[in-house]
Amino acid sequence: MTATPSSLHRVRDTLTPALRAALDRLDEESRRQAAYHFGWIDAAGAPACDGGGKAVRPALALLSAQAAGARPERGLPGAVAVELVHNFSLLHDDLMDGDEQRRHRRTVWSLYGASGAILTGDALLALAQEVLLECGQPTAAAAARLLSRATRELIRGQVQDMSFENRAHVTVAECVEMAAGKTGALLSASAAIGAVLAGAPVTVVDALALYGDQVGIAFQLIDDVLGVWGDPARTGKPVHNDLRTRKKSLPVAYALNQQGTSSVELAAWLSAPDEPDETELRRAADLVEEAGGRTWAVAEATRRLELGEAALRDAALDPAAREELIALGGFIVGRDM
Amino acid sequence: MTATPSSLHRVRDTLTPALRAALDRLDEESRRQAAYHFGWIDAAGAPACDGGGKAVRPALALLSAQAAGARPERGLPGAVAVELVHNFSLLHDDLMDGDEQRRHRRTVWSLYGASGAILTGDALLALAQEVLLECGQPTAAAAARLLSRATRELIRGQVQDMSFENRAHVTVAECVEMAAGKTGALLSASAAIGAVLAGAPVTVVDALALYGDQVGIAFQLIDDVLGVWGDPARTGKPVHNDLRTRKKSLPVAYALNQQGTSSVELAAWLSAPDEPDETELRRAADLVEEAGGRTWAVAEATRRLELGEAALRDAALDPAAREELIALGGFIVGRDM
């Protein structure tokens, strides 16, 4: 297991007060639900410290400003904004997916109802733009534009992901495009937004954006590998979890699109309607592996990450921030890779 | 019935192509659902011309630019953006309210499912900011900021409205605050955004924003009067519709907060759990009227509208645009007032 990068330890001290100040603008009910979602209060409303997620996107945003030669605080409105957009998408996704638990706590919709989750998500999305546009920096509009595009891509990815459930066949390109939207777009915006706020030249912004994109796709590739072969003790999910739902994840899509008997057998199995048993799940995992899905996904993740790192090395970035970005990207992707 | 103002006839020619161009940025599925919602295609995907709503917000936005001495086109990105935010809120509200019909057509959630309505609504909200920020005007950031604040207020109003359903008592002030958020905020932003885009001075922007606010609250007052006493042939809803659901609308809230036996009887009736019959509904409507709810609501709407019109007359606006704004505001509010 990779050690937690220091950028993730540092980000909380800066981010949390700014995030709380932003949420103070919301109506009482949306603020309560958001505070619960972020782990600051429990279901009864008592103060808690469940920490929420790892804040990798805000950490990227602060490093992004530093990479462009500015102080990390310059990226802070961006850090708050990307965290708000990320959590908007979690609130709506949990509802759409019917997930009752997130990080071992009840999800907002399951506790406060569907309307609560819809409205609180909406409020976080609107607030993200407001925080950026009110930060008083002349570069705020460019940052807000970057974020609104990323949000559109994020939504496109989610729409595409849901459409896969109703389709017998998806191509690898479609699957990568989906991951680029659902996971890559906001990580890309996170890695670039600090530099945009700092007024960095377009070559610097583009290199950072490309890095975030590749980190996102690489993360999704490894996450999908873990979804099939991951150790339940580490993933916190049942073994073969993604196969159980017959999800067309990246390694599965790769395997499906190869020639050979494993692919044919896998396609037949995926279109079967019944609940699979453990023997079937093991067999399906073996088929994906035999068709090269696992090897490809790991190699592709490595290739993507190296592509992103190369872009960072070619750009005129602050060297210390560059190394921290590479450490953070490696941490995001490198879950027992 | 007031004649349709010419500003509403004109707005379609400018708005529709710009709105279509904006929606072209969306993924195929969100675009399809949005096109259906706007009445451009039917449920089978065939071209249609159901027109959607009246586009009063875009019309306000174009007049707003003209009022500030600019050409109406200067307000066009604002017109598109406010229409997108309005329709984002309709998509999510219809789902939360469980409404299966809007303007005699099936609602998006009832046709494409809850997830479709959530994601398409999200996409329209994100797109609104994107359209504004990419319009290339130096004033775009200020306009986007205005809109993101209005969106927060709109959501606050919706949250407040839903909270009223679970409360025995609401004050008139709370009810007005709710209407100012749910209806006033976006009309206010619509009336001001064209002037903001045109770079108008703050006194002009403020007068226009105040006008939109007051038109919004006045509209809600009259809409609530029609919800109790409106002619079903004109409102398209059953008589006493808002009483049927025991909604704490503005005239009802006023009546509840008066001294006297009518108020006491009304409060008791509102807290009764059973489905009311026609006799009970007539009695409840009489109680609201006896307690002064109807008279107050109509007088308050008139007062609000005059307040808004006075602000317009005091500001340095283009005289022709000012008269058109007053005609449009009167049309929005004046449904058999």
Side-chain angles (χ1 to χ4, degrees), chain B residues 272-312:
Chain B
D274 55 310
E275 185 81 17
D277 61 25
E278 294 303 323
T279 317
E280 272 191 69
L281 288 171
R282 263 197 307 277
R283 176 69 190 145
D286 288 347
L287 289 171
V288 178
E289 193 150 5
E290 282 165 29
R294 183 177 191 164
T295 308
W296 169 78
V298 173
E300 182 66 7
T302 308
R303 188 183 75 81
R304 295 263 179 188
L305 197 53
E306 286 171 359
L307 206 68
E309 289 170 3
L312 288 191

Short mmCIF file of all heavy atoms in Angstrom, two decimals, chain B residues 272-312:
data_model
loop_
_atom_site.label_atom_id
_atom_site.label_comp_id
_atom_site.label_asym_id
_atom_site.label_seq_id
_atom_site.Cartn_x
_atom_site.Cartn_y
_atom_site.Cartn_z
N ALA B 272 -56.58 18.85 9.60
CA ALA B 272 -57.34 17.59 9.52
C ALA B 272 -56.68 16.66 8.51
O ALA B 272 -56.15 17.12 7.50
CB ALA B 272 -58.78 17.89 9.12
N PRO B 273 -56.72 15.35 8.81
CA PRO B 273 -55.96 14.43 7.97
C PRO B 273 -56.73 13.92 6.75
O PRO B 273 -56.12 13.47 5.78
CB PRO B 273 -55.68 13.27 8.92
CG PRO B 273 -56.82 13.28 9.90
CD PRO B 273 -57.37 14.67 9.92
N ASP B 274 -58.07 13.99 6.76
CA ASP B 274 -58.85 13.29 5.73
C ASP B 274 -58.97 14.08 4.42
O ASP B 274 -58.74 15.28 4.37
CB ASP B 274 -60.26 13.00 6.26
CG ASP B 274 -60.92 14.28 6.75
OD1 ASP B 274 -60.27 15.01 7.53
OD2 ASP B 274 -62.05 14.58 6.34
N GLU B 275 -59.29 13.37 3.37
CA GLU B 275 -59.53 13.93 2.02
C GLU B 275 -60.77 14.83 2.08
O GLU B 275 -61.85 14.36 2.44
CB GLU B 275 -59.76 12.77 1.05
CG GLU B 275 -59.90 13.14 -0.41
CD GLU B 275 -58.55 13.37 -1.07
OE1 GLU B 275 -57.52 12.95 -0.51
OE2 GLU B 275 -58.54 13.97 -2.15
N PRO B 276 -60.67 16.11 1.74
CA PRO B 276 -61.84 16.99 1.86
C PRO B 276 -62.83 16.79 0.72
O PRO B 276 -62.44 16.47 -0.41
CB PRO B 276 -61.22 18.39 1.77
CG PRO B 276 -59.95 18.21 1.00
CD PRO B 276 -59.48 16.81 1.23
N ASP B 277 -64.14 16.96 1.02
CA ASP B 277 -65.14 16.91 -0.06
C ASP B 277 -65.44 18.33 -0.55
O ASP B 277 -64.92 19.31 0.00
CB ASP B 277 -66.41 16.18 0.40
CG ASP B 277 -67.08 16.89 1.58
OD1 ASP B 277 -66.89 18.11 1.74
OD2 ASP B 277 -67.78 16.20 2.34
N GLU B 278 -66.30 18.45 -1.58
CA GLU B 278 -66.56 19.74 -2.22
C GLU B 278 -67.12 20.78 -1.24
O GLU B 278 -66.77 21.95 -1.28
CB GLU B 278 -67.52 19.57 -3.40
CG GLU B 278 -66.95 18.76 -4.56
CD GLU B 278 -65.65 19.33 -5.12
OE1 GLU B 278 -65.51 20.57 -5.18
OE2 GLU B 278 -64.76 18.54 -5.47
N THR B 279 -68.01 20.33 -0.36
CA THR B 279 -68.61 21.25 0.62
C THR B 279 -67.54 21.83 1.54
O THR B 279 -67.50 23.03 1.80
CB THR B 279 -69.66 20.48 1.48
OG1 THR B 279 -70.43 19.65 0.62
CG2 THR B 279 -70.53 21.45 2.24
N GLU B 280 -66.67 20.94 2.01
CA GLU B 280 -65.57 21.37 2.87
C GLU B 280 -64.65 22.37 2.15
O GLU B 280 -64.20 23.36 2.74
CB GLU B 280 -64.72 20.16 3.26
CG GLU B 280 -65.19 19.43 4.50
CD GLU B 280 -64.12 18.43 4.93
OE1 GLU B 280 -63.04 18.86 5.37
OE2 GLU B 280 -64.37 17.22 4.77
N LEU B 281 -64.36 22.08 0.89
CA LEU B 281 -63.46 22.95 0.12
C LEU B 281 -64.06 24.34 -0.04
O LEU B 281 -63.37 25.35 0.10
CB LEU B 281 -63.16 22.33 -1.25
CG LEU B 281 -62.25 21.10 -1.23
CD1 LEU B 281 -62.19 20.45 -2.61
CD2 LEU B 281 -60.85 21.48 -0.77
N ARG B 282 -65.39 24.37 -0.34
CA ARG B 282 -66.07 25.67 -0.48
C ARG B 282 -66.02 26.43 0.84
O ARG B 282 -65.76 27.63 0.87
CB ARG B 282 -67.53 25.46 -0.92
CG ARG B 282 -67.75 25.61 -2.42
CD ARG B 282 -69.24 25.80 -2.75
NE ARG B 282 -70.07 24.74 -2.16
CZ ARG B 282 -70.26 23.54 -2.72
NH1 ARG B 282 -69.68 23.23 -3.85
NH2 ARG B 282 -71.04 22.65 -2.13
N ARG B 283 -66.24 25.70 1.93
CA ARG B 283 -66.21 26.31 3.26
C ARG B 283 -64.80 26.86 3.56
O ARG B 283 -64.66 27.99 4.05
CB ARG B 283 -66.61 25.26 4.31
CG ARG B 283 -66.54 25.71 5.76
CD ARG B 283 -67.60 26.75 6.08
NE ARG B 283 -67.39 27.33 7.40
CZ ARG B 283 -67.65 28.60 7.70
NH1 ARG B 283 -68.15 29.43 6.80
NH2 ARG B 283 -67.42 29.07 8.92
N ALA B 284 -63.77 26.09 3.23
CA ALA B 284 -62.40 26.52 3.49
C ALA B 284 -62.07 27.78 2.68
O ALA B 284 -61.47 28.74 3.19
CB ALA B 284 -61.42 25.40 3.15
N ALA B 285 -62.50 27.79 1.41
CA ALA B 285 -62.27 28.97 0.57
C ALA B 285 -62.96 30.19 1.17
O ALA B 285 -62.39 31.30 1.20
CB ALA B 285 -62.77 28.71 -0.85
N ASP B 286 -64.19 29.98 1.68
CA ASP B 286 -64.92 31.09 2.32
C ASP B 286 -64.19 31.59 3.57
O ASP B 286 -64.14 32.79 3.83
CB ASP B 286 -66.35 30.64 2.69
CG ASP B 286 -67.23 30.49 1.46
OD1 ASP B 286 -66.81 30.99 0.38
OD2 ASP B 286 -68.32 29.89 1.56
N LEU B 287 -63.63 30.66 4.33
CA LEU B 287 -62.90 31.04 5.54
C LEU B 287 -61.68 31.91 5.20
O LEU B 287 -61.42 32.92 5.86
CB LEU B 287 -62.43 29.79 6.31
CG LEU B 287 -63.54 28.98 7.01
CD1 LEU B 287 -62.97 27.66 7.54
CD2 LEU B 287 -64.18 29.79 8.13
N VAL B 288 -60.95 31.50 4.15
CA VAL B 288 -59.77 32.29 3.74
C VAL B 288 -60.24 33.68 3.33
O VAL B 288 -59.62 34.70 3.69
CB VAL B 288 -59.02 31.60 2.57
CG1 VAL B 288 -57.83 32.45 2.13
CG2 VAL B 288 -58.54 30.21 2.97
N GLU B 289 -61.37 33.74 2.61
CA GLU B 289 -61.89 35.02 2.15
C GLU B 289 -62.38 35.89 3.33
O GLU B 289 -62.07 37.07 3.40
CB GLU B 289 -63.02 34.79 1.14
CG GLU B 289 -63.40 36.05 0.39
CD GLU B 289 -63.93 35.76 -1.02
OE1 GLU B 289 -64.08 34.57 -1.38
OE2 GLU B 289 -64.16 36.74 -1.76
N GLU B 290 -63.13 35.25 4.24
CA GLU B 290 -63.63 35.97 5.42
C GLU B 290 -62.49 36.56 6.25
O GLU B 290 -62.60 37.65 6.82
CB GLU B 290 -64.44 35.03 6.31
CG GLU B 290 -65.85 34.75 5.81
CD GLU B 290 -66.47 33.55 6.51
OE1 GLU B 290 -66.11 33.28 7.68
OE2 GLU B 290 -67.30 32.87 5.87
N ALA B 291 -61.39 35.82 6.34
CA ALA B 291 -60.25 36.29 7.14
C ALA B 291 -59.41 37.32 6.36
O ALA B 291 -58.37 37.77 6.85
CB ALA B 291 -59.38 35.11 7.55
N GLY B 292 -59.85 37.64 5.16
CA GLY B 292 -59.18 38.70 4.40
C GLY B 292 -58.06 38.25 3.49
O GLY B 292 -57.36 39.08 2.90
N GLY B 293 -57.89 36.94 3.33
CA GLY B 293 -56.77 36.41 2.55
C GLY B 293 -56.80 36.81 1.08
O GLY B 293 -55.78 37.16 0.50
N ARG B 294 -58.02 36.78 0.50
CA ARG B 294 -58.13 37.09 -0.92
C ARG B 294 -57.88 38.57 -1.18
O ARG B 294 -57.10 38.93 -2.06
CB ARG B 294 -59.51 36.69 -1.42
CG ARG B 294 -59.71 36.90 -2.90
CD ARG B 294 -61.08 36.41 -3.35
NE ARG B 294 -61.17 36.38 -4.79
CZ ARG B 294 -62.11 35.74 -5.47
NH1 ARG B 294 -63.05 35.08 -4.82
NH2 ARG B 294 -62.12 35.76 -6.78
N THR B 295 -58.55 39.42 -0.41
CA THR B 295 -58.40 40.87 -0.57
C THR B 295 -56.94 41.29 -0.37
O THR B 295 -56.39 42.07 -1.15
CB THR B 295 -59.28 41.62 0.46
OG1 THR B 295 -60.61 41.10 0.35
CG2 THR B 295 -59.26 43.10 0.22
N TRP B 296 -56.35 40.74 0.68
CA TRP B 296 -54.94 41.07 0.96
C TRP B 296 -54.04 40.68 -0.20
O TRP B 296 -53.20 41.46 -0.65
CB TRP B 296 -54.46 40.38 2.24
CG TRP B 296 -52.97 40.50 2.40
CD1 TRP B 296 -52.27 41.58 2.84
CD2 TRP B 296 -51.98 39.51 2.05
NE1 TRP B 296 -50.91 41.34 2.81
CE2 TRP B 296 -50.71 40.07 2.32
CE3 TRP B 296 -52.05 38.20 1.54
CZ2 TRP B 296 -49.52 39.36 2.10
CZ3 TRP B 296 -50.87 37.51 1.32
CH2 TRP B 296 -49.62 38.07 1.60
N ALA B 297 -54.20 39.46 -0.71
CA ALA B 297 -53.30 38.95 -1.76
C ALA B 297 -53.39 39.81 -3.01
O ALA B 297 -52.35 40.17 -3.60
CB ALA B 297 -53.63 37.49 -2.08
N VAL B 298 -54.62 40.19 -3.41
CA VAL B 298 -54.77 41.01 -4.62
C VAL B 298 -54.19 42.41 -4.38
O VAL B 298 -53.45 42.95 -5.23
CB VAL B 298 -56.26 41.10 -5.04
CG1 VAL B 298 -56.44 42.09 -6.18
CG2 VAL B 298 -56.77 39.72 -5.45
N ALA B 299 -54.45 42.98 -3.21
CA ALA B 299 -53.92 44.32 -2.91
C ALA B 299 -52.40 44.29 -2.82
O ALA B 299 -51.71 45.20 -3.30
CB ALA B 299 -54.53 44.84 -1.59
N GLU B 300 -51.88 43.24 -2.21
CA GLU B 300 -50.42 43.12 -2.05
C GLU B 300 -49.74 42.93 -3.41
O GLU B 300 -48.67 43.49 -3.66
CB GLU B 300 -50.10 41.95 -1.11
CG GLU B 300 -48.64 41.72 -0.80
CD GLU B 300 -47.98 42.84 0.00
OE1 GLU B 300 -48.69 43.77 0.45
OE2 GLU B 300 -46.75 42.78 0.17
N ALA B 301 -50.38 42.17 -4.30
CA ALA B 301 -49.82 42.00 -5.65
C ALA B 301 -49.78 43.35 -6.37
O ALA B 301 -48.78 43.69 -7.00
CB ALA B 301 -50.66 40.99 -6.43
N THR B 302 -50.86 44.11 -6.27
CA THR B 302 -50.92 45.44 -6.89
C THR B 302 -49.83 46.35 -6.32
O THR B 302 -49.10 47.03 -7.06
CB THR B 302 -52.31 46.08 -6.64
OG1 THR B 302 -53.30 45.14 -7.05
CG2 THR B 302 -52.46 47.38 -7.41
N ARG B 303 -49.70 46.33 -4.99
CA ARG B 303 -48.70 47.16 -4.33
C ARG B 303 -47.29 46.78 -4.79
O ARG B 303 -46.46 47.64 -5.11
CB ARG B 303 -48.82 46.98 -2.81
CG ARG B 303 -47.96 47.93 -2.00
CD ARG B 303 -48.06 47.65 -0.51
NE ARG B 303 -47.34 46.48 -0.07
CZ ARG B 303 -46.02 46.44 0.18
NH1 ARG B 303 -45.30 47.55 0.06
NH2 ARG B 303 -45.42 45.33 0.56
N ARG B 304 -47.01 45.49 -4.85
CA ARG B 304 -45.68 45.02 -5.26
C ARG B 304 -45.36 45.44 -6.69
O ARG B 304 -44.27 45.88 -7.00
CB ARG B 304 -45.64 43.49 -5.17
CG ARG B 304 -45.79 42.95 -3.76
CD ARG B 304 -44.46 42.66 -3.19
NE ARG B 304 -44.51 42.17 -1.84
CZ ARG B 304 -43.43 42.01 -1.09
NH1 ARG B 304 -42.24 42.32 -1.57
NH2 ARG B 304 -43.52 41.56 0.14
N LEU B 305 -46.36 45.25 -7.56
CA LEU B 305 -46.14 45.58 -8.96
C LEU B 305 -45.89 47.08 -9.12
O LEU B 305 -44.99 47.50 -9.86
CB LEU B 305 -47.36 45.14 -9.79
CG LEU B 305 -47.17 45.03 -11.30
CD1 LEU B 305 -45.98 44.14 -11.65
CD2 LEU B 305 -48.43 44.47 -11.95
N GLU B 306 -46.66 47.90 -8.40
CA GLU B 306 -46.46 49.35 -8.46
C GLU B 306 -45.10 49.76 -7.91
O GLU B 306 -44.45 50.67 -8.44
CB GLU B 306 -47.59 50.06 -7.69
CG GLU B 306 -48.91 50.02 -8.47
CD GLU B 306 -50.11 50.52 -7.68
OE1 GLU B 306 -49.95 50.88 -6.50
OE2 GLU B 306 -51.22 50.52 -8.26
N LEU B 307 -44.66 49.07 -6.88
CA LEU B 307 -43.33 49.31 -6.30
C LEU B 307 -42.25 49.05 -7.35
O LEU B 307 -41.31 49.83 -7.52
CB LEU B 307 -43.15 48.36 -5.12
CG LEU B 307 -42.22 48.72 -3.99
CD1 LEU B 307 -42.79 49.90 -3.21
CD2 LEU B 307 -42.06 47.51 -3.05
N GLY B 308 -42.41 47.95 -8.05
CA GLY B 308 -41.46 47.60 -9.10
C GLY B 308 -41.49 48.60 -10.24
O GLY B 308 -40.43 49.03 -10.74
N GLU B 309 -42.69 48.98 -10.64
CA GLU B 309 -42.82 49.95 -11.75
C GLU B 309 -42.22 51.30 -11.36
O GLU B 309 -41.58 51.96 -12.18
CB GLU B 309 -44.29 50.10 -12.14
CG GLU B 309 -44.83 48.86 -12.85
CD GLU B 309 -46.34 48.88 -13.03
OE1 GLU B 309 -46.99 49.88 -12.67
OE2 GLU B 309 -46.87 47.87 -13.54
N ALA B 310 -42.41 51.69 -10.10
CA ALA B 310 -41.84 52.96 -9.63
C ALA B 310 -40.31 52.93 -9.72
O ALA B 310 -39.67 53.91 -10.10
CB ALA B 310 -42.28 53.25 -8.20
N ALA B 311 -39.71 51.76 -9.38
CA ALA B 311 -38.25 51.63 -9.47
C ALA B 311 -37.80 51.81 -10.90
O ALA B 311 -36.77 52.46 -11.18
CB ALA B 311 -37.82 50.27 -8.93
N LEU B 312 -38.56 51.23 -11.84
CA LEU B 312 -38.20 51.38 -13.26
C LEU B 312 -38.30 52.84 -13.69
O LEU B 312 -37.45 53.34 -14.43
CB LEU B 312 -39.15 50.54 -14.15
CG LEU B 312 -39.01 49.03 -14.13
CD1 LEU B 312 -39.83 48.43 -15.25
CD2 LEU B 312 -37.55 48.60 -14.26
#
